[in-house]
Amino acid sequence: MHPDMTLLWILAVLFLPGAWSQSSSRLGAVVEAKNITLPAGSKAVLPCYSPRMVWTQDRLKDRQRVVHWDLVRSSPEYSVERVLDMSPGARQRVYNGFNKGRISIPDSAFSDGNFSLVINTVVASDKGVYTCNLHHHYCQIHQSIQIQLNVTKSARKEKRYWDGEKTVFMVLLGSSVVLPCVNRRPLWREGLQEDQQQVAHWDFQPPGVRPDKADRLVDLYASGERRDYGPLFAVNKMKVAEDAFTLGDFSLTIADLKPVDKGLYSCHLHHHYCGLYERRIFRLTVGPPLPSNPTKAPKVFQTDEPESRTKEALRHEDGSHVLNGFLPDHRSYYVQHVGYFLATFFLLAFIIVAVLVPTWRRKKRGLENKLGRSVRGNLTSGGEMTLDYTELRTCNQDPLNSDYKNNLLKERDMTKDCNKDFDGKMWM
């Protein structure tokens, strides 16, 4: 079984009680299982769609079923050549003029399922791998059969064997051979009442009812026949589209849901001609009805605790819409946001303090260490501090001569000499 199909089986067993007892081969494979909960008074749509159940009633059957033989030659460069093809109601078409009258398939192929290829007067150019391709586009079925044909000039070398992948025919040059391709399934043969072999029906299983006691709701046939069971469809309580087989949409619509509608619904699709048997299961639960919209806004007293609600979309009398918004109703809503703001603020303050204080302490400790090293370097071995100073002499040690007392030029020269001596000692 396909892994995806196995998973669907497991889901159906776990989530839908009673589904296991309904999963017999005669009912078909469960391809979908869902739980649906809707409020009372609303409308439920249980989807059931399958493109393979689309009935187009196409009379051109050659567009639906076709067989064609292809030949793959090893030289030159593994070329592919179409040998012939055939469809119901049409003559077989041979693509190479040399093969006309020499290569054919039975005219009754689509009646008895025998699509074998007959080759008369085998030549050396017939060597290669032949493929029989069966296509049923309506039922979406495609099958292929490969046969390798080798040509020999010795009669004792003629034989047939299996090489592990395909059948190999060793044929004598100039003889005739039949490459078998047989499919006896009814799918490949004419159907007398093909349109009546497509059936869709809905079943309903109330809680506590066994699967074999489920109620039949409706039967639909591709021929247009419809059978309703009970008055639910007559009053449009339940409905399936009239053109279900045209679109392949067999969804069930249930209006004005009530608690009695609770249960297990199953959609069965049968296509006997194509060999299709599918089933979709839905567990429908009916909840409490939606509250009616009040005409006036209710008054809220300070002593009352306002109920939690959201503002729904409003519609004006002129048909315009109002944007949806969400209104906080609890007083604690604002307190919570203020608390979030304060907590964020204190957290940021704590981070700033935790970063700045250690940095300031490290800088202060560095200045103290630098000053301490400077002081220790200047201490003598006896513990006394010595200061390096430069002896300054008074520039005007000699008493000024009274002759130059009023001579401004002489006084300026003496001042220059004094400054030069002082600068030299300072830089030394």
Side-chain angles (χ1 to χ4, degrees), residues 357-373:
V357 170
T359 304
W360 177 76
R361 288 182 177 178
R362 284 196 297 270
K363 289 184 178 180
K364 183 178 179 181
R365 192 181 297 111
L367 292 175
E368 292 177 354
N369 294 337
K370 184 176 181 180
L371 182 59
R373 287 195 300 269

Side-chain angles (χ1 to χ4, degrees), residues 24-278:
S24 60
S25 59
R26 65 180 182 86
L27 295 177
V30 178
V31 297
E32 187 176 5
K34 288 184 178 180
N35 287 326
I36 300 177
T37 301
L38 295 173
S42 62
K43 181 176 69 174
V45 178
L46 308 182
C48 183
Y49 177 78
S50 177
R52 295 184 63 183
M53 293 289 288
V54 176
W55 174 244
T56 58
Q57 296 184 352
D58 188 359
R59 296 181 180 179
L60 300 178
K61 296 182 179 180
D62 57 336
R63 297 182 181 179
Q64 303 296 340
R65 295 183 294 171
V66 63
V67 56
H68 61 86
W69 279 88
D70 296 335
L71 171 61
V72 180
R73 303 180 187 275
S74 58
S75 61
E77 299 179 355
Y78 294 96
S79 60
V80 181
E81 176 185 340
R82 175 64 55 86
V83 178
L84 62 79
D85 58 25
M86 181 180 177
S87 57
R91 298 179 59 183
Q92 55 185 286
R93 177 170 47 184
V94 180
Y95 285 82
N96 191 338
F98 174 74
N99 294 329
K100 289 183 178 181
R102 195 177 68 93
I103 295 180
S104 64
I105 60 176
D107 294 333
S108 60
F110 285 99
S111 299
D112 56 14
N114 184 8
F115 304 94
S116 301
L117 181 67
V118 180
I119 305 177
N120 296 317
T121 314
V122 175
V123 296
S125 60
D126 293 332
K127 179 181 178 181
V129 178
Y130 289 80
T131 305
C132 176
N133 301 281
L134 301 175
H135 300 283
H136 198 305
H137 303 289
Y138 177 67
C139 297
Q140 300 180 5
I141 296 179
H142 308 279
Q143 296 179 353
S144 297
I145 299 175
Q146 284 189 342
I147 300 175
Q148 182 173 345
L149 176 62
N150 294 332
V151 181
T152 180
K153 296 181 180 180
S154 175
R156 60 183 182 85
K157 291 184 179 181
E158 280 191 295
K159 61 179 179 177
R160 300 179 183 181
Y161 63 92
W162 177 261
D163 66 352
E165 295 181 356
K166 56 187 176 298
T167 304
V168 179
F169 283 72
M170 184 67 71
V171 180
L172 180 64
L173 182 67
S175 63
S176 298
V177 64
V178 177
L179 305 182
C181 179
V182 180
N183 193 324
R184 301 296 185 184
R185 294 181 59 186
L187 167 68
W188 298 99
R189 294 180 296 203
E190 288 287 349
L192 299 179
Q193 295 180 347
E194 191 172 314
D195 56 340
Q196 297 180 2
Q197 297 182 2
Q198 298 182 71
V199 182
H201 66 265
W202 278 90
D203 291 343
F204 172 60
Q205 179 184 343
V209 176
R210 296 189 312 176
D212 57 344
K213 299 296 182 179
D215 298 330
R216 178 63 54 87
L217 297 176
V218 62
D219 282 335
L220 301 173
Y221 298 89
S223 59
E225 182 182 358
R226 174 172 176 165
R227 299 175 185 176
D228 300 334
Y229 300 88
L232 297 178
F233 284 85
V235 297
N236 291 329
K237 167 70 175 181
M238 295 185 180
K239 182 173 58 176
V240 178
E242 296 292 339
D243 55 352
F245 280 97
T246 303
L247 303 176
D249 186 0
F250 305 90
S251 302
L252 177 66
T253 303
I254 307 174
D256 190 18
L257 285 178
K258 295 181 180 180
V260 295
D261 298 328
K262 176 183 177 180
L264 201 67
Y265 293 82
S266 57
C267 175
H268 301 253
L269 301 179
H270 302 279
H271 197 310
H272 305 287
Y273 178 72
C274 293
L276 173 66
Y277 302 95
E278 295 180 353

